[in-house]
Amino acid sequence: MKIIVPYAGIVLLVGPSNSGKSTLLKSMIEKKQILSSEVVSSDEFRVLVSDREFIDWRERPKDEADCLLDEYQTISKEAFSMMDSVIDARCRLNKLTFVDATHLHPDDRKRYIALARKNHVPIIAIVLDIPLDTLIERDGQRDHPRGKRRLKQQYQTFKREKRFIKKEGYTSTYLLDETKHIEFIRRTNPI
Ligand code: GTP
């Protein structure tokens, strides 16, 4: 499948944990279809602001789990704020940015649609629709598994949101059920 990516603007990856967002972008970097500096990832910004990519609060006593969840949310808020500043600056400089985060909640996506509009650049969405069983199976192979419960919650949100995404106002939307055989075709001029 060929995905036409704009010359400048925002490419929003959408999909639950383990749907393969980072893996797809990594393979595109390896194939030299995109630059590593064109990718911003919420995981990397969490590390930048807090030295931690993920906090595992599963199987902890409730009080401790609540504390860890609070800490994770505080870190995420700082990470996204930094990340959005970088995306905004890149839009102002007429650069292309691939945003690697789940974007499951409408507000998270609408923020970037507004950012693209403000900067008069296009925004496209690449939506990864991978079956829940596959997401759970892949989780076992990760250094920091996200946990079945979390994946199920994310998948339910994704299933609910999927049908609205097309109408949210992207320049184009691509719905993928696998990430192999993908080719990015880059527009070579701003029009
Ligand atoms: P988050 O960062 O948690 O949102 O996940 P993500 O959607 O970025 O998934 P990521 O690309 O980090 O992949 C998660 C795990 O699934 C890794 O262990 C990958 O190796 C594996 N994975 C991703 N895509 C594929 C695929 O197409 N096939 C297989 N077999 N494994 C994959």
Side-chain angles (χ1 to χ4, degrees):
M1 182 184 202
K2 288 181 168 56
I3 295 182
I4 314 277
V5 295
Y7 173 83
I10 298 175
V11 179
L12 211 60
L13 278 290
V14 182
S17 275
N18 298 343
S19 55
K21 303 177 294 294
S22 308
T23 305
L24 170 64
L25 293 173
K26 249 181 239 155
S27 91
M28 291 302 151
I29 294 168
E30 276 160 21
K31 289 180 187 163
K32 300 197 186 307
Q33 295 194 2
I34 64 176
L35 302 170
S36 58
S37 52
E38 288 175 318
V39 176
V40 299
S41 124
S42 53
D43 289 344
E44 282 170 14
F45 272 85
R46 279 191 198 94
V47 175
L48 275 179
V49 297
S50 75
D51 307 321
R52 306 174 79 167
E53 179 183 317
F54 185 69
I55 299 177
D56 193 354
W57 56 83
R58 293 170 304 145
E59 292 162 28
R60 303 286 186 108
K62 188 172 180 322
D63 280 0
E64 203 185 322
D66 286 349
C67 253
L68 289 172
L69 181 57
D70 263 4
E71 191 186 345
Y72 184 69
Q73 281 168 348
T74 307
I75 289 169
S76 291
K77 200 167 160 230
E78 294 288 357
F80 275 100
S81 160
M82 294 288 297
M83 191 166 106
D84 291 358
S85 297
V86 170
I87 299 166
D88 198 7
R90 291 183 59 87
C91 286
R92 286 197 299 275
L93 293 169
N94 225 24
K95 294 288 168 186
L96 180 64
T97 309
F98 295 80
V99 190
D100 181 1
T102 56
H103 300 123
L104 297 179
H105 296 280
D107 288 350
D108 294 335
R109 300 188 298 272
K110 282 175 186 158
R111 216 169 62 237
Y112 295 113
I113 294 173
L115 200 63
R117 284 209 181 121
K118 185 187 90 176
N119 286 292
H120 310 287
V121 292
I123 174 166
I124 74 164
I126 301 178
V127 183
L128 302 186
D129 187 2
I130 307 296
L132 178 61
D133 288 349
T134 308
L135 300 178
I136 291 172
E137 192 187 305
R138 289 178 187 172
D139 205 43
Q141 286 139 35
R142 292 193 79 164
D143 290 344
H144 303 290
R146 271 35 181 177
K148 215 176 193 172
R149 190 157 156 247
R150 191 177 157 90
L151 290 176
K152 279 186 179 167
Q153 280 169 351
Q154 287 194 356
Y155 187 75
Q156 287 307 322
T157 309
F158 177 73
K159 239 172 50 177
R160 190 185 66 224
E161 288 295 314
K162 201 168 69 175
R163 68 197 118 136
F164 302 121
I165 294 174
K166 256 192 178 304
K167 293 178 186 153
E168 281 175 340
Y170 304 98
T171 314
S172 49
T173 312
Y174 294 87
L175 185 65
L176 314 181
D177 57 12
E178 55 104 12
T179 51
K180 289 175 203 115
H181 318 298
I182 302 292
E183 196 186 340
F184 284 174
I185 310 287
R186 300 184 63 132
R187 289 209 182 279
T188 50
N189 62 54
I191 303 143

